[in-house]
Amino acid sequence: MIYHGNRFTFRPGVPGEQLDQALESLRNQGRAIPSVRSFVVGRDHGGEFEWGATFVIDDLDGYWEYLVHPSHLHTDRVGLPLVDRFESFDITDDPDPEFGAKVAALHRRRFESDPELTALITGLGSYTGSGAPAPRQG
């Protein structure tokens, strides 16, 4: 089982309507993506971020489905331009010592296949964690 989490803070001055649209798009991911078993989207308490979302997924095949599903892509397009700081993380009971590298490879594959997404990600104030692209070389 994989618990894929995101923590984020919106840019100052984001209109409430746009913020609501981005959060609802995250909730729609949980409802629309078949591999998502359960999810939560809400306020992040006790940390440096304002909001968070966690999606529970069975395995890496489901994780890939989650990453490339149209509802996730929609959230990227409407939400990322509003985000200042973003962190992703994964918690799993999978004993595979290569699990982290496999997750990073899925994200890397996704970024390599979607230049528009990569541009949105590089426009964030900060992005850390399991899904963060490697720093550019050269």
Side-chain angles (χ1 to χ4, degrees):
M1 193 67 59
I2 304 164
Y3 289 74
H4 172 66
N6 301 300
R7 302 172 79 200
F8 50 95
T9 299
F10 288 105
R11 297 180 190 278
V14 171
E17 183 177 301
Q18 287 183 315
L19 184 142
D20 291 343
Q21 179 186 23
L23 294 172
E24 180 54 30
S25 188
L26 275 168
R27 291 180 187 103
N28 187 59
Q29 286 178 207
R31 293 186 295 265
I33 301 173
S35 60
V36 172
R37 299 293 169 230
S38 65
F39 69 97
V40 62
V41 175
R43 286 281 187 182
D44 186 326
H45 297 278
E48 300 176 16
F49 295 90
E50 297 171 325
W51 296 92
T54 300
F55 300 89
V56 180
I57 303 165
D58 287 334
D59 55 27
L60 289 172
D61 289 336
Y63 199 112
W64 179 248
E65 177 187 49
Y66 163 84
L67 287 175
V68 298
H69 194 276
S71 65
H72 190 231
L73 299 174
H74 179 263
T75 299
D76 290 336
R77 298 320 193 257
V78 301
L80 287 174
L82 312 177
V83 170
D84 180 32
R85 294 183 313 119
F86 188 91
E87 175 183 75
S88 65
F89 61 92
D90 295 290
I91 300 170
T92 186
D93 57 0
D94 186 328
D96 182 353
E98 297 298 315
F99 178 84
K102 290 176 181 178
V103 166
L106 292 178
H107 284 278
R108 193 170 39 256
R109 181 173 150 203
R110 180 173 177 243
F111 293 136
E112 289 170 357
S113 69
D114 191 340
E116 183 182 349
L117 172 63
T118 303
L120 288 171
I121 294 296
T122 58
L124 296 174
S126 70
Y127 183 6
T128 59
S130 61
R136 291 185 184 183
Q137 302 298 315

